[in-house]
Amino acid sequence: MVRLTRIYTKTGDKGDTGLGDGSRVAKHDLRVEAYGTVDEANAVIGLARLHVDEELDRILARIQNDLFDVGADLCTPFSENPKYPPLRLAETKTVELEQEIDRFNADIPSLRSFILPAGNPAATHLHHARTVTRRAERIIVQLKEDQDISQAVLEYMNRLSDLLFVLARHANGKGKDDVLWVPGE
């Protein structure tokens, strides 16, 4: 388990940071950008939790924990014989998201238009979390072009943005209070 006794270490003062395997890379490295953006999505989900009901709060709390697993997975490059077994995101986590999507989407009417990221505070924060999650996913896809990345992480992030979209609609009165896009207006 992680134990932090000091918050500052000064090891990154020259612009590099340590990865989960002990190697060091520049703080602008795409891998760091990927797990940093996952962390940003997690923070926005934390904001959304301030505005949702107890049921959604429980779901979002679990997702926040999962996102730490995603970050741990991303910060540890794949290697054949690691000194310590790295934490990898369980594939079952994506299935859990799919089940939540199906459950919450069942009571929401189909869309006849795109919707704007608006409505009440809960929905708006969930839409914000969705957009940051999508950005994290794009960075992970870019990282995957050059490095081995867990397929489970990529699938999870894709499904998470879908779930956040559905939860935003749920928070908007199960879609009744969605703000529809009116093209050309």
Side-chain angles (χ1 to χ4, degrees), residues 54-73:
E54 194 174 307
E55 180 183 22
L56 293 189
D57 184 58
R58 277 193 308 274
I59 292 167
L60 294 174
R62 188 188 75 236
I63 288 168
Q64 284 192 293
N65 195 78
D66 290 348
L67 287 175
F68 262 75
D69 290 353
V70 169
D73 193 322

